[in-house]
Amino acid sequence: MNKTAFITGGTRGIGKQIALTLAKEGYDIAINYRTQNNELEETKKEIEQNKVQCFAVQGDVSNYEDCEKFVKEVVEHYGTIDVLVNNAGITKDMLLMRMKKEDFEDVIDVNLIGTFNVTKQVIPIMMKARSGRIINISSVVGVSGNAGQTNYSASKAGIIGFTKSLAKEVASRNILVNAIAPGFIQTDMTAILKEEIKEEIAKNIPLKRMGKAKDVANVVKFLSSEDSSYITGQVLHVDGGMLM
Ligand code: NDP
């Protein structure tokens, strides 16, 4: 029987690439999506081309009841979840002076509380199985900070604290919990930046380029595999050397 990986925000960007990469490794895939669109069908088709199953569940990670419902659906479908990737995330950038309270709250709700909401549903399943991998997608700015991103940086720094604390709680059950801190990765999230800004950012990255979703997905593959069975509570930086 194939192992099962569940990825939140799995229909585009980094989440989609993670789903495809784990599908190539032979995992049956469950993806969560918030918005119904053509990307969902396209992603499903691409995953299934790897001769594995793809089961899609709708819901907003910031809504606790949605998470209860969609995790239950995944478990009813596959019987278990071996790997959870908390990937869904948003930005609402603004200098603090002008940031609205709702924009601070929305980003914390999706990125940090969403990670709690989904993990809370999945942990009992992994505890029972006495094994599991949880991989949380943080960000370089959760460690370094970034002007205009107090909300986003706080959410991503929170994910790091969450990761380390949970890793300590569940290590005895052979559940490994790690975070990945990507730098600037080419997706819709960074496509909104002006070309000059992107060039300026790339110039300051030691490897002189923005990252690809695949760069992050390959590290998820490693953290899901037996090769990383002695790694827990860590933050792996995938940022071309931006932060050393
Ligand atoms: P995208 O904006 O391309 O994709 C975000 C994904 O998250 C979409 O699938 C989106 O679904 C989903 N999502 C957003 N809000 C919710 C929600 N409330 N419930 C369920 N799903 C939701 O982003 P990236 O692929 O670039 O980012 C993926 C992760 O990586 C995020 O956590 C991001 O913070 C992190 N990251 C990205 C970096 C980058 O440079 N791109 C750098 C560092 C970290 P929908 O299509 O329905 O909106």
Side-chain angles (χ1 to χ4, degrees):
M1 215 171 76
N2 290 344
K3 284 195 166 185
T4 305
F6 179 40
I7 301 112
T8 64
T11 59
R12 59 194 176 95
I14 294 172
K16 174 178 179 177
Q17 195 56 54
I18 292 170
L20 284 171
T21 301
L22 294 181
K24 283 201 179 78
E25 291 301 297
Y27 286 81
D28 281 329
I29 301 295
I31 46 173
N32 146 262
Y33 64 97
R34 183 183 46 172
T35 325
Q36 175 92 46
N37 54 29
N38 294 339
E39 279 160 338
L40 170 63
E41 281 317 306
E42 187 49 40
T43 302
K44 233 172 153 278
K45 239 189 266 161
E46 285 180 52
I47 289 170
E48 285 164 356
Q49 275 163 10
N50 297 284
K51 310 253 176 305
V52 296
Q53 287 188 61
C54 179
F55 183 64
V57 288
Q58 199 275 331
D60 180 340
V61 296
S62 69
N63 181 311
Y64 191 82
E65 287 73 36
D66 277 13
C67 298
E68 276 183 315
K69 185 173 152 287
F70 64 63
V71 170
K72 196 162 169 256
E73 287 168 0
V74 174
V75 175
E76 276 170 10
H77 187 81
Y78 284 131
T80 194
I81 294 173
D82 297 295
V83 176
L84 165 66
V85 186
N86 283 305
N87 165 79
I90 58 166
T91 52
K92 289 198 175 180
D93 299 352
M94 187 56 71
L95 294 172
L96 183 87
M97 285 283 282
R98 278 190 275 145
M99 187 179 287
K100 292 197 199 95
K101 184 168 177 279
E102 304 81 77
D103 290 346
F104 193 89
E105 287 172 347
D106 286 354
V107 171
I108 299 286
D109 278 352
V110 174
N111 298 3
L112 181 57
I113 299 183
T115 298
F116 166 81
N117 287 346
V118 180
T119 308
K120 170 88 177 144
Q121 310 307 322
V122 173
I123 273 291
I125 299 150
M126 292 184 172
M127 293 285 263
K128 209 166 144 214
R130 291 186 170 270
S131 95
R133 300 291 172 95
I134 298 175
I135 300 151
N136 299 320
I137 307 298
S138 176
S139 167
V140 63
V141 304
V143 182
S144 66
N146 193 25
Q149 292 196 305
T150 51
N151 50 2
Y152 185 75
S153 305
S155 73
K156 295 298 185 178
I159 286 176
I160 293 174
F162 176 88
T163 300
K164 292 181 180 181
S165 301
L166 184 62
K168 290 185 178 183
E169 287 183 19
V170 299
S172 63
R173 295 294 181 106
N174 192 32
I175 302 168
L176 312 186
V177 191
N178 290 290
I180 296 176
F184 279 88
I185 310 295
Q186 282 169 339
T187 66
D188 293 346
M189 190 175 267
T190 48
I192 51 170
L193 296 171
K194 289 202 188 93
E195 217 38 58
E196 313 90 84
I197 294 180
K198 282 196 257 182
E199 278 166 24
E200 198 50 40
I201 291 168
K203 242 193 265 168
N204 291 318
I205 298 172
L207 290 181
K208 300 288 174 219
R209 65 167 176 90
M210 287 180 75
K212 298 194 170 72
K214 186 80 189 158
D215 295 319
V216 178
N218 283 338
V219 178
V220 172
K221 177 171 96 177
F222 169 65
L223 287 175
S224 309
S225 75
E226 275 313 300
D227 292 343
S228 63
S229 56
Y230 201 52
I231 300 177
T232 195
Q234 303 304 310
V235 182
L236 273 81
H237 291 257
V238 183
D239 63 5
M242 266 177 87
L243 192 75
M244 294 189 191

